[in-house]
Amino acid sequence: MIHRPRINRWTESRRNLIHDPSIKSSLVQPYFVVDGVNIREEIQGMPKIYRESLDNLLDTVKSDYEAGIRAIMLFGVVSEDLKDDYANQAMNELSHLHKAVFELKKIYNDDLVIMTDVCLCTATAHGHCGIVANGEIENDESVEILAKIALSHAKAGADYVCASDMMDGRIISIRKTLEASGFSSTGILAYSVKYASSFYGPFRNAASSSPKTGDRKSHQMDIRSGYKEAIFESKLDQEEGADIIMIKPGLPYLDVVKTVSDEVEKPVAVYNVSGEYAMVMNSAIDLSQRKSMVIEILNSFKRSGADIIVTYHAREALAQGWIK
Ligand code: PBG
């Protein structure tokens, strides 16, 4: 089956994430997981966000959970020596990322929605989101690998696999692969409308995923493109079986969030990306001013129609009691 509307209803935590109208229930906190032990380094340009090994990640998730976080998004950071041309480490079921998903699922079971990033860029030596041949990113070969990565995350216990690559046809391929292996309750979050934005800088440092040469403009959307392409991409992913449609970045594209959320039937997510977070955190303001800014930003996402908000502000907003 391509469409399984039950996926978004599968657990109470998924239902709350999607349908509870409060901002608090809409938040998803991202994490960067590295291999090793006792590692916890703050990311350059992103105060209070860390690259962490599994032992520390478990502590961080625990304190976030206690503050009220009920949905998380995990990014696996791959060490340089394990990168290759085909992103093999990204589908290695024994990797630290897979272990993290497995351990968190064991601890929280269905009380926490676990999302994982599915892309090649963190595990390819050249840093591109796909297989490169003759200087071009090969679409269909890349899609095959993406589906394998997604399946490996599903096996580890992910609630939603999140395709952030922007290759054509990857959602249907991931859906068919999950179906063929019996993963009929694993959701797919599609980064349907993802722009070739200059707001991803701090993330690429954090995930060590910058392309060594060139850029991502042959697959991520042109920043000048209009609503028609955004609607087209969203509907395509919806037809291919996506369970959640995401727009990224957030603040520069609130109009797109509004337009897409008016057009699609599936729940809509917005990604308040690293550069947006850095702008707020690195402006010279005190905590009470930051509180006001974060509340204002989160409300803007809700007003524009986002059901789900992926944001690095989630941790602080809940820990400080800014959002109730
Ligand atoms: C991987 C990916 C990126 C982000 C999420 N997944 C980087 C990129 O596309 O270059 C960016 C997230 C952020 O900036 O917070 N493809």
Side-chain angles (χ1 to χ4, degrees):
M1 252 184 270
I2 292 172
H3 300 286
R4 289 190 182 269
R6 287 188 61 204
I7 284 174
N8 286 341
R9 300 174 199 141
W10 205 259
T11 64
E12 191 182 356
S13 54
R14 293 187 195 180
R15 296 193 294 275
N16 288 342
L17 174 68
I18 294 165
H19 298 298
D20 190 292
S22 70
I23 290 176
K24 181 177 177 174
S25 300
S26 314
L27 300 178
V28 180
Q29 173 71 41
Y31 301 82
F32 298 94
V33 195
V34 296
D35 200 5
V37 284
N38 200 21
I39 300 169
R40 189 162 202 256
E41 20 179 77
E42 196 170 80
I43 293 158
Q44 211 188 340
M46 300 179 74
K48 297 168 189 268
I49 304 296
Y50 307 92
R51 285 157 59 125
E52 299 171 290
S53 49
L54 178 53
D55 47 350
N56 286 331
L57 175 79
L58 295 181
D59 289 344
T60 308
V61 172
K62 185 165 185 275
S63 80
D64 288 347
Y65 185 87
E66 283 164 0
I69 297 277
R70 291 294 179 271
I72 66 173
M73 186 177 275
L74 301 181
F75 293 90
V77 183
V78 177
S79 63
E80 290 300 322
D81 55 311
L82 290 176
K83 295 185 182 189
D84 58 25
D85 286 348
Y86 301 95
N88 278 307
Q89 186 61 9
M91 62 181 96
N92 177 358
E93 292 175 23
L94 301 175
S95 90
H96 58 287
L97 186 270
H98 294 76
K99 272 187 215 146
V101 175
F102 183 81
E103 290 298 322
L104 287 165
K105 199 68 200 170
K106 205 164 71 186
I107 295 168
Y108 296 94
N109 197 4
D110 287 337
D111 293 337
L112 187 66
V113 180
I114 301 176
M115 303 179 161
T116 54
D117 185 65
V118 174
C119 194
L120 275 66
C121 62
T122 51
T124 48
H126 44 64
H128 283 294
C129 303
I131 300 302
V132 179
N134 305 318
E136 310 262 358
I137 296 175
E138 297 281 332
N139 193 84
D140 300 8
E141 288 79 354
S142 304
V143 166
E144 272 178 43
I145 294 185
L146 287 161
K148 286 183 187 158
I149 297 172
L151 177 61
S152 74
H153 291 181
K155 285 184 185 166
D159 284 271
Y160 288 90
V161 291
C162 308
S164 67
D165 54 285
M166 290 300 279
M167 296 299 125
D168 296 332
R170 86 277 208 219
I171 300 301
I172 184 74
S173 171
I174 291 173
R175 173 63 77 216
K176 285 185 174 164
T177 303
L178 292 175
E179 287 285 311
S181 299
F183 287 93
S184 55
S185 65
T186 307
I188 305 173
L189 180 154
Y191 285 66
S192 303
V193 185
K194 178 174 179 179
Y195 292 93
S197 169
S198 51
F199 283 83
Y200 306 147
F203 173 96
R204 291 185 188 169
N205 267 334
S208 59
S209 66
S210 292
K212 299 267 182 327
T213 56
D215 55 39
R216 306 216 198 287
K217 289 181 182 166
S218 80
H219 43 106
Q220 297 182 349
M221 285 164 60
D222 194 296
I223 58 160
R224 298 165 297 185
S225 71
Y227 299 137
K228 283 187 179 162
E229 189 179 5
I231 294 167
F232 178 72
E233 285 278 8
S234 302
K235 291 203 163 160
L236 208 52
D237 284 350
Q238 196 171 257
E239 282 159 26
E240 289 181 28
D243 300 287
I244 299 171
I245 303 295
M246 186 142 83
I247 292 97
K248 171 182 175 185
L251 291 176
Y253 300 96
L254 281 178
D255 55 332
V256 179
V257 177
K258 168 69 179 148
T259 304
V260 169
S261 67
D262 283 345
E263 291 286 336
V264 299
E265 286 77 37
K266 286 289 172 188
V268 168
V270 62
Y271 199 139
N272 179 215
V273 302
S274 56
E276 299 172 57
Y277 178 75
M279 279 199 307
V280 173
M281 298 302 282
N282 299 319
S283 54
I285 49 169
D286 63 24
L287 201 61
S288 80
Q289 282 175 293
R290 187 150 88 225
K291 170 184 174 179
S292 307
M293 284 171 86
V294 170
I295 290 173
E296 194 171 339
I297 288 168
L298 297 179
N299 272 289
S300 78
F301 292 138
K302 269 286 154 192
R303 186 173 53 243
S304 62
D307 302 291
I308 296 166
I309 304 167
V310 183
T311 178
Y312 303 95
H313 291 298
R315 169 174 304 142
E316 189 177 47
L318 292 186
Q320 296 283 347
W322 297 344
I323 300 290
K324 296 195 179 70

